[in-house]
């Protein structure tokens, strides 16, 4: 019978059913290596959620290991023997009382992805994407990257025994180059943007049998790893949703994934109530999603000269831009752009107020909270979750340390202001 009429395959570990074209809704085989759909749209993994709900409960999940694989029934790896892990997942959901009080949003929380392996949320997508690639017999993965994703996929490919080919713009953070090199990836720098790197990778994969192109949303399973952020937030809040969630948006996989997770949670019956209002945060130097939202459009247009210090969100034209915009529109959310000076100031302020050095992409979201409160879009009584997608340690150049040097027989001067605040 045609594939579309075939039943989902039973599995104790995963209840993956099929892949679905995000534009046309057509059904595709999940048990062969897939890229995009025939119309060039991302493929989304679908599960037998009725079977999931019948075989596992939130209470059972609570007793499992504190990593993202606790949600394995709604992840695509069929055999636990193929799981490739470095302990990723279950990052803290931290109250931000001082920052929240300053901005008039006292119920402000931060999901801190800077604590996962390789220092950024990209490890989630790499863990699941590499695990599924290994299960399907892929020999190597190849991708363009703005830095963090390449570092993560290189590390997980090394752990899985797979090859890794990475191309990144010359302006990508230096530390991410080193992460790729130390993990044994083939790394090439490209004198251009991530789209230019993508074209080179696509051409290279054609001449590498057994390699899979794992560019953003050009394979179906990176999004599945990242959706576990949504599952974790709901679980950490006692199986409920926050009112508002802000996400730094470049390729858009994270915000698409969280939206997907929360719709799955509703269908499973594990969480009731409305979805959180989703806010896509970009840099004013590269804000195609914001521009499209302000026009009421369903797709974005690449800016002419995209540039920002928040390198992870320097994505001029995302393959899944329509999915990002759909998520924002559907939830009554918004999109907002923050300039580099403002997001860098927010990065420094948050470190002083809360003791946490976050990445510039996450800092853009904290700056956005302040702006949205000032404009009245946030009333101030909402429970607001900000996604910090990486550690500030990956971006050392965003902080200078011009401090005095004392002679060994010198004296530390008294504080000018009388001591700590």
């Amino acid at each position: 019978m045609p594939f579309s009429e075939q039943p989902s395959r039973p599995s104790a570990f995963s209840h993956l059913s099929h892949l679905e074209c995000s534009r046309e809704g057509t059904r595709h085989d999940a048990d062969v290596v897939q890229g995009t759909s025939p119309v060039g749209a991302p493929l989304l993994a679908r599960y037998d959620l009725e079977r999931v709900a019948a075989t596992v409960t939130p209470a059972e999940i609570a007793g499992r290991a504190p990593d993202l694989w606790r949600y394995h029934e709604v992840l695509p790896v069929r055999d636990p023997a193929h799981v490739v892990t470095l302990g990723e997942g279950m990052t803290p959901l931290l109250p931000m009382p001082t920052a929240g009080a300053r901005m008039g949003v006292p119920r402000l929380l931060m999901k801190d992805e800077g604590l996962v392996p390789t220092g950024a949320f990209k490890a989630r997508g790499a863990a699941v994407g590499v695990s599924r690639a290994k299960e399907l017999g892929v020999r190597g993965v190849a991708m363009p990257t703005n830095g963090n994703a390449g570092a993560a996929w290189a590390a997980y490919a090394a752990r899985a025994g797979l090859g890794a080919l990475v191309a990144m713009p010359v302006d990508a953070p230096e530390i991410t180059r080193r992460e790729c090199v130390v993990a044994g990836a083939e790394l090439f720098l490209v004198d251009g943007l991530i789209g230019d790197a993508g074209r080179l990778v696509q051409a290279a994969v054609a001449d590498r049998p057994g390699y899979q192109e794992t560019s953003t949303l050009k394979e179906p399973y990176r999004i599945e790893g990242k959706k576990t952020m949504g599952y974790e937030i709901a679980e950490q809040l006692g199986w409920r949703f926050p009112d508002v969630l802000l996400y730094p948006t470049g390729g858009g996989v994270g915000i698409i994934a969280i939206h997907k997770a929360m719709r799955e949670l509703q269908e499973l019956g594990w969480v009731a109530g409305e979805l959180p209002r989703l806010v896509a945060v970009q840099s004013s130097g590269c804000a195609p999603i914001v521009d499209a939202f302000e026009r009421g459009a369903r797709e974005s247009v690449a800016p002419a000269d995209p540039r920002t210090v928040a390198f992870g969100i320097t994505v001029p034209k995302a393959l899944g831009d329509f999915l990002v915009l759909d998520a924002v529109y559907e939830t009554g959310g918004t999109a907002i752009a923050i300039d580099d000076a403002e997001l860098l100031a927010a990065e420094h302020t948050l470190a002083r107020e809360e003791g946490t050095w976050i990445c510039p992409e996450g800092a853009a979201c904290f700056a956005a909270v302040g702006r949205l409160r000032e404009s009245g879009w946030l009333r101030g009584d909402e429970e607001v979750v900000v996604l910090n997608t990486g550690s500030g340690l990956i971006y050392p150049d965003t902080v200078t340390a011009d401090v005095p040097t004392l002679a060994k027989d010198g004296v530390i001067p008294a504080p000018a202001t009388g001591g700590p605040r």
Side-chain angles (χ1 to χ4, degrees):
M1 58 182 156
F3 177 78
S4 61
E5 297 175 10
Q6 292 178 6
S8 62
R9 303 180 189 184
S11 170
F13 195 69
S14 171
H15 292 297
L16 177 66
S17 169
H18 62 280
L19 300 175
E20 181 180 283
C21 173
S22 56
R23 282 197 183 275
E24 297 186 331
T26 52
R27 187 168 171 144
H28 302 272
D29 191 349
D31 286 302
V32 296
V33 176
Q34 298 274 21
T36 55
S37 76
V39 297
L43 289 172
L44 302 175
R46 300 302 185 193
Y47 301 84
D48 184 345
L49 295 179
E50 286 187 11
R51 184 171 302 196
V52 174
T55 55
V56 67
T57 66
E60 290 175 68
I61 288 172
R64 294 177 176 174
D67 58 39
L68 66 79
W69 298 99
R70 68 201 279 115
Y71 310 113
H72 58 76
E73 287 88 354
V74 288
L75 293 175
V77 179
R78 297 198 184 277
D79 184 345
H82 294 132
V83 167
V84 180
T85 181
L86 289 167
E88 57 288 330
M90 202 45 70
T91 54
L93 187 62
L94 299 172
M96 296 281 110
T98 304
R102 171 176 54 82
M103 292 187 282
V105 186
R107 299 170 67 200
L108 180 64
L109 302 165
M110 178 176 74
K111 179 72 166 165
D112 191 4
E113 291 293 292
L115 302 180
V116 296
T118 74
F121 77 119
K122 304 287 188 178
R124 292 180 185 266
V128 176
V130 168
S131 295
R132 186 60 172 154
K134 177 182 176 184
E135 186 166 62
L136 294 176
V138 170
R139 292 172 46 200
V141 294
M143 65 188 309
T145 179
N146 274 329
N148 291 331
W153 283 72
Y156 282 86
R159 190 157 176 85
L162 304 183
L165 169 64
V166 179
M168 65 174 69
V170 292
D171 293 333
E174 173 72 26
I175 189 64
T176 60
R177 298 187 196 179
R178 300 185 183 208
E179 288 182 286
C180 291
V181 170
V182 77
E186 289 182 79
L187 175 64
F188 297 92
L189 302 181
V190 178
D191 187 13
L193 298 173
I194 190 170
D196 303 306
R199 284 186 287 276
L200 295 178
V201 167
Q202 186 176 25
V205 168
D207 294 327
R208 292 182 177 228
Y211 268 66
Q212 180 184 14
E213 184 184 354
T214 57
S215 305
T216 302
L217 293 174
K218 286 193 175 182
E219 59 80 45
Y221 302 117
R222 182 193 300 206
I223 193 171
E224 297 305 290
K226 292 183 180 180
K227 83 177 181 186
T228 58
M229 291 184 289
Y231 276 82
E232 287 179 18
I233 290 167
E235 183 177 359
Q236 289 169 318
L237 291 175
W239 296 105
R240 62 179 178 81
F241 297 142
D243 298 310
V244 179
L245 191 147
L246 292 91
Y247 202 95
T249 305
V253 177
I255 196 168
I256 296 166
I258 289 174
H259 183 238
K260 182 177 189 288
M262 293 184 170
R263 291 180 68 179
E264 289 177 359
L265 285 164
Q266 283 184 323
E267 191 171 341
L268 285 165
W270 293 356
V271 180
E274 295 183 357
L275 295 176
R277 289 183 286 165
L278 297 177
V279 181
V281 181
Q282 298 196 297
S283 164
S284 56
C286 184
I289 296 295
V290 177
D291 293 342
F293 178 82
E294 291 176 348
R295 298 194 318 271
R298 291 283 169 178
E299 294 189 17
S300 66
V301 177
D305 185 26
R307 294 182 186 278
T308 172
V309 68
F311 209 74
I313 51 176
T314 314
V315 180
K317 174 66 174 174
L319 180 64
D321 56 358
F322 67 101
L323 294 172
V324 174
L325 289 160
D326 285 350
V328 172
Y329 291 135
E330 181 186 319
T331 61
T334 191
I336 182 171
I338 303 296
D339 66 39
D340 280 2
E342 191 175 357
L343 69 86
L344 287 173
E347 177 186 353
H348 288 236
T349 298
L350 196 73
R352 291 193 298 271
E353 289 180 336
E354 303 285 3
T356 179
W357 183 12
I358 65 174
C359 66
E361 295 83 2
C365 290
F366 279 96
V369 170
R371 287 256 228 99
L372 292 173
R373 181 68 184 96
E374 289 170 4
S375 71
W377 192 88
L378 286 174
R379 299 184 306 272
D381 59 346
E382 301 96 337
E383 184 173 53
V384 178
V385 172
V386 165
L387 261 293
N388 171 48
T389 50
S391 169
L393 295 171
I394 298 172
Y395 298 85
D397 293 342
T398 62
V399 175
T400 57
D402 185 11
V403 297
T405 300
L406 301 176
K408 62 183 179 182
D409 57 351
V411 176
I412 296 177
T417 57
R421 61 178 172 81

